[in-house]
Amino acid sequence: MSLQEIIKLAKQLSTVDKVRLIQQIAPDIERELTDKLSTHPRQSLWGLCADLGNAPFTEEIDVARSEEWASFPREDI
């Protein structure tokens, strides 16, 4: 039986039976998804950012911030 045939049959169900079908199928889908997720270990955020190099030091951030704000037009606020 093809997917299109199953969809055609499912559309013929009453609304209550459609809800029951979803309630019976959803746990199976959830189980399959969690099984797939558990087999692939997640990479830590540190690992995701490893190619970016070292983070700037606080002093470097302060210098960059002061350079950017130095030319910011100000009128007495």
Side-chain angles (χ1 to χ4, degrees):
M1 190 173 258
S2 72
L3 176 63
Q4 295 303 324
E5 292 171 335
I6 294 171
I7 292 172
K8 185 177 178 181
L9 289 173
K11 286 184 178 185
Q12 294 174 5
L13 294 172
S14 69
T15 305
V16 173
D17 286 337
K18 288 177 185 175
V19 170
R20 289 182 184 144
L21 174 65
I22 292 170
Q23 287 174 334
Q24 289 183 358
I25 296 293
D28 294 335
I29 295 170
E30 183 178 6
R31 190 176 321 103
E32 290 175 17
L33 287 174
T34 54
D35 288 347
K36 286 182 182 180
L37 289 176
S38 63
T39 59
H40 299 293
R42 289 185 172 184
Q43 189 175 11
S44 72
L45 290 178
W46 294 112
L48 290 173
C49 299
D51 63 325
L52 299 176
N54 294 332
F57 292 103
T58 305
E59 294 81 19
E60 294 172 335
I61 294 172
D62 291 340
V63 168
R65 184 178 291 139
S66 64
E67 288 174 358
E68 290 299 318
W69 283 97
S71 62
F72 188 74
R74 281 182 71 144
E75 295 178 20
D76 285 341
I77 298 176

